[in-house]
Amino acid sequence: MQGSFKRLVEVGRVVLITHGEDAGKIATIVDIVDHNRAVVDGPTTDVKRQIIAYKNVVLTDIVVKGLPRTIGTKALAKFLEKEQVVEAWQKTAWAQKLEARKRRANMSDFDRFKLMRLKKQQRDIVNRQSAVLRKERA
């Protein structure tokens, strides 16, 4: 039976940390402490094993199937490499949007100016081509 929730807290669920020093990194739930906290570990993303509150993470759609509870860090790293979790995360639209946001935030004033000029050129080309097509139809 399928409930209304699609992302459940479970061992092997990949989470995105939203608060703290590891904000913006992904980790994997390796054990559940209680209704408010879980033990997460991210050996491939430099997240140390820690107890973290659910309010400080966001659950992703990625789940590592067959992951035993309280797995060691080295064994977890092998599991994540085999399942290619980091690559799967980087392919998601969510991760790409976060990366674009980070890139935009790190742009200098001159970079923003160059981007504006390129967008203007692109818009001009599209408008010219659409004008040609409209003229042909008429």
Side-chain angles (χ1 to χ4, degrees):
M1 182 172 151
Q2 179 68 20
S4 60
F5 296 105
K6 294 184 175 130
R7 298 179 186 158
L8 301 174
V9 175
E10 58 186 314
V11 174
R13 174 73 63 178
V14 177
V15 296
L16 174 67
I17 300 173
T18 57
H19 292 85
E21 66 181 47
D22 293 324
K25 295 180 183 178
I26 59 170
T28 307
I29 296 177
V30 292
D31 198 8
I32 297 169
V33 177
D34 58 22
H35 291 301
N36 296 314
R37 300 173 299 162
V39 179
V40 298
D41 196 359
T44 56
T45 56
D46 298 326
V47 176
K48 292 188 169 97
R49 185 174 289 240
Q50 59 187 302
I51 296 174
I52 195 162
Y54 296 140
K55 67 180 182 178
N56 295 331
V57 297
V58 180
L59 302 174
T60 66
D61 288 332
I62 304 168
V63 180
V64 181
K65 296 288 184 193
L67 192 70
R69 289 181 69 178
T70 65
I71 188 171
T73 302
K74 290 181 184 177
L76 178 63
K78 288 179 186 175
F79 242 98
L80 296 178
E81 288 295 325
K82 188 179 86 175
E83 296 285 326
Q84 297 180 337
V85 171
V86 176
E87 291 81 9
W89 166 251
Q90 290 172 345
K91 288 180 185 175
T92 63
W94 189 358
Q96 291 171 0
K97 183 166 53 169
L98 291 176
E99 182 62 33
R101 225 182 257 168
K102 190 185 301 181
R103 234 181 298 123
R104 239 180 274 126
N106 290 332
M107 288 176 79
S108 68
D109 186 44
F110 186 59
D111 290 335
R112 284 190 293 274
F113 173 75
K114 289 191 293 189
L115 180 65
M116 186 238 348
R117 295 291 298 173
L118 290 172
K119 283 184 176 180
K120 199 171 179 181
Q121 287 175 353
Q122 180 184 18
R123 187 173 56 241
D124 187 46
I125 291 168
V126 169
N127 286 340
R128 270 192 263 136
Q129 291 299 321
S130 61
V132 168
L133 290 174
R134 269 186 270 136
K135 200 173 205 180
E136 287 176 1
R137 278 194 211 147

